[in-house]
Amino acid sequence: MPSFDICFSPELLPLYNLRGRVAVVVDILRATSSIVTALAQGVTHLVPVSEVADCQALALQGYLTAAERDGRQLEGVDLGNSPFGYLDGVVAVRGRSVAITTTNGTRALHLSQAADAVVVGAFLNLGAVANFLREQQKDVVVVCAGWKGNFCLEDTLFGGALAQQLAADFNTTDSDATLAALDLWQAAAPDVAGYLLKSSHVRRLNSLESHKDMEFCVRQNEYDVVPLYQGGQITL
Amino acid sequence: MPSFDICFSPELLPLYNLRGRVAVVVDILRATSSIVTALAQGVTHLVPVSEVADCQALALQGYLTAAERDGRQLEGVDLGNSPFGYLDGVVAVRGRSVAITTTNGTRALHLSQAADAVVVGAFLNLGAVANFLREQQKDVVVVCAGWKGNFCLEDTLFGGALAQQLAADFNTTDSDATLAALDLWQAAAPDVAGYLLKSSHVRRLNSLESHKDMEFCVRQNEYDVVPLYQGGQITL
């Protein structure tokens, strides 16, 4: 039975051997939720980059630009880090490509490239990711983007939710991180949005807009897509 | 109100500023539980060292030696990493000093030295540590030794138990790590030993002896001692 582990922070990735495994990169608030939404809305592919300058260089090649730092959209780019940017019709996204840089998510994607496959996970595509992992039958490591390199609740809850879905097909009991995430998910599942209202990260983003984002980002199985990060691009 | 945070792994310590704060180093299974027991049983002081060779060098100066790797006592030393080594009377410990090296605990102590004070915490002295922290009125970071650098359940539970005791006097809601530890503690508190039986670390140590150790190490407030690590030594 393949193993299921969770890495709570990109800073802990050196402790994990990703070779031969599938990495599921998650940054629920909001990078991976936005990436999943973007592809579900017809974006052709996304290129995650480290710096805003890299975004702007790709804009010259026709890319839309999406950039966020500390939870805020930067000046002079087309999109921020909200999934609603791909839904509200202000920017036409279907058929376009997007260069994206975010505080935590981009870094987690880059650091996960040693894995056999890098999947972009979110509550929005939880079931689709679970099905993909069952088909792959390889060891899984969920890579939490975290908050500025450290543990965060929302990515951990996603790890717990995914572990619960896969408990029959994967070994979810050999990792303390997975055991903890499963218990936290059990506490949060009846009201995930309510649970996350206590999270320091969510309170940091506290505003009408971010609350709306958060409620959207915890919706499960909104999109049946499995974005893969390979060759520097995220595509379906 | 001073802040209360938990660092789930020594690998994450670079994300924390320990200056001006009190660090509570915890390695429930079993380094800090043994250190607390040793001092409560009349050991004068302990010197945590990185290598077994350092232990042996101190033996020439009259120190007892305690050494463990991967949960096992090493050959040619006086004590392993079990608190019962200080209780069972096989080795006379009262009035003696001990040079100690362990897989995870020693490293966490060394990495915490930037803090204003470094306290050795365990369930065995939980209440005494809580009282000390209330008197200090400084920001607190619990430094979990973890298992080989990664998250482990038992140290996290100690962080949650301490946070619960201090919730009226410290800000325990601004850190996702603390929020998670509090919820895990709530799940575990009715039967901590039973809860930890599912931990990967505890199952790794699985034997009659280690089970007896684990049940002892989760007993609360057995000893009213607050060991401090300063100048390379742990003393009361």
Side-chain angles (χ1 to χ4, degrees):
Chain A
M1 197 178 263
S3 68
F4 184 101
D5 207 346
I6 303 176
C7 176
F8 282 150
S9 149
E11 305 302 317
L12 297 173
L13 264 180
L15 302 170
Y16 293 76
N17 179 9
L18 293 183
R19 209 167 296 273
R21 300 184 176 186
V22 177
V24 180
V25 174
V26 55
D27 183 4
I28 293 297
L29 296 173
R30 298 166 292 176
T32 60
S33 299
S34 292
I35 291 166
V36 165
T37 304
L39 290 163
Q41 296 306 313
V43 163
T44 59
H45 67 278
L46 300 98
V47 175
V49 295
S50 299
E51 303 296 334
V52 182
D54 303 325
C55 275
Q56 283 153 346
L58 285 168
L60 301 177
Q61 298 174 33
Y63 281 74
L64 290 173
T65 52
E68 166 265 351
R69 285 294 180 273
D70 295 329
R72 288 197 184 78
Q73 177 170 341
L74 297 181
E75 298 268 319
V77 295
D78 302 307
L79 297 151
N81 200 21
S82 168
F84 288 108
Y86 302 92
L87 291 168
D88 63 12
V90 175
V91 178
V93 298
R94 186 165 300 276
R96 299 293 301 274
S97 53
V98 179
I100 183 171
T101 181
T102 71
T103 313
N104 311 292
T106 308
R107 181 169 153 74
L109 284 164
H110 287 171
L111 290 173
S112 299
Q113 290 180 96
D116 273 19
V118 182
V119 183
V120 176
F123 285 110
L124 296 169
N125 68 340
L126 177 65
V129 169
N131 288 336
F132 174 82
L133 297 172
R134 271 192 215 99
E135 286 160 14
Q136 294 284 308
Q137 282 290 309
K138 287 185 179 173
D139 293 342
V140 168
V141 180
V142 175
V143 180
C144 299
W147 179 256
K148 299 200 171 179
N150 210 339
F151 176 89
C152 80
L153 275 173
E154 62 274 14
D155 297 346
T156 303
L157 291 184
F158 170 83
L162 187 60
Q164 190 184 58
Q165 294 225 351
L166 295 174
D169 308 296
F170 287 77
N171 179 348
T172 56
T173 61
D174 259 0
S175 146
D176 274 12
T178 304
L179 292 166
L182 279 163
D183 278 353
L184 291 169
W185 174 244
Q186 192 164 25
D191 177 13
V192 183
Y195 187 88
L196 283 180
L197 280 180
K198 71 178 182 177
S199 136
S200 61
H201 182 176
V202 169
R203 284 184 287 121
R204 203 175 292 122
L205 296 176
N206 197 15
S207 71
L208 207 60
E209 190 211 355
S210 65
H211 190 78
K212 188 178 143 209
D213 278 4
M214 191 268 280
E215 293 206 320
F216 182 75
C217 292
V218 299
R219 283 161 72 165
Q220 292 177 37
N221 307 323
E222 200 70 18
Y223 302 123
D224 188 25
V225 298
V226 181
L228 292 172
Y229 177 51
Q230 48 193 348
Q233 299 194 345
I234 303 168
T235 51
L236 296 186
Chain B
M1 197 180 264
S3 68
F4 184 101
D5 207 346
I6 303 176
C7 176
F8 282 149
S9 149
E11 305 302 318
L12 297 174
L13 264 180
L15 301 171
Y16 293 77
N17 179 10
L18 293 183
R19 209 166 296 275
R21 301 183 175 187
V22 178
V24 181
V25 174
V26 55
D27 183 4
I28 293 298
L29 297 173
R30 300 165 288 174
T32 60
S33 300
S34 292
I35 290 166
V36 166
T37 304
L39 290 163
Q41 296 305 312
V43 163
T44 59
H45 66 278
L46 300 98
V47 176
V49 295
S50 299
E51 304 295 333
V52 182
D54 302 325
C55 274
Q56 283 153 347
L58 287 168
L60 301 175
Q61 298 174 33
Y63 280 74
L64 290 173
T65 52
E68 165 265 352
R69 286 294 180 272
D70 295 329
R72 290 196 183 78
Q73 178 170 340
L74 297 180
E75 299 267 321
V77 296
D78 302 307
L79 297 150
N81 199 22
S82 167
F84 289 107
Y86 302 92
L87 291 167
D88 62 12
V90 174
V91 178
V93 299
R94 186 164 302 276
R96 299 292 302 274
S97 52
V98 178
I100 183 171
T101 181
T102 70
T103 313
N104 311 293
T106 307
R107 179 169 153 75
L109 284 163
H110 287 172
L111 289 173
S112 299
Q113 290 179 97
D116 273 18
V118 182
V119 183
V120 176
F123 284 112
L124 296 168
N125 69 340
L126 177 66
V129 169
N131 288 335
F132 175 82
L133 296 172
R134 271 190 216 98
E135 286 160 15
Q136 294 284 309
Q137 282 291 309
K138 288 184 179 174
D139 294 341
V140 168
V141 180
V142 175
V143 180
C144 299
W147 178 257
K148 300 200 171 181
N150 210 338
F151 176 89
C152 79
L153 275 173
E154 62 273 16
D155 297 345
T156 302
L157 292 184
F158 169 83
L162 187 60
Q164 189 184 60
Q165 294 225 351
L166 295 174
D169 307 297
F170 287 76
N171 179 349
T172 56
T173 62
D174 259 359
S175 145
D176 273 12
T178 304
L179 292 166
L182 279 163
D183 277 353
L184 291 169
W185 175 243
Q186 193 164 24
D191 177 12
V192 183
Y195 186 89
L196 283 180
L197 280 180
K198 71 177 182 178
S199 134
S200 61
H201 183 176
V202 169
R203 284 185 287 121
R204 202 175 292 124
L205 297 176
N206 197 16
S207 73
L208 205 62
E209 190 211 355
S210 65
H211 190 78
K212 189 178 142 210
D213 278 3
M214 192 267 280
E215 293 205 321
F216 182 74
C217 291
V218 300
R219 283 161 72 165
Q220 291 177 36
N221 307 322
E222 199 70 17
Y223 302 123
D224 188 25
V225 298
V226 181
L228 292 172
Y229 176 52
Q230 48 192 348
Q233 297 193 347
I234 303 167
T235 51
L236 295 186

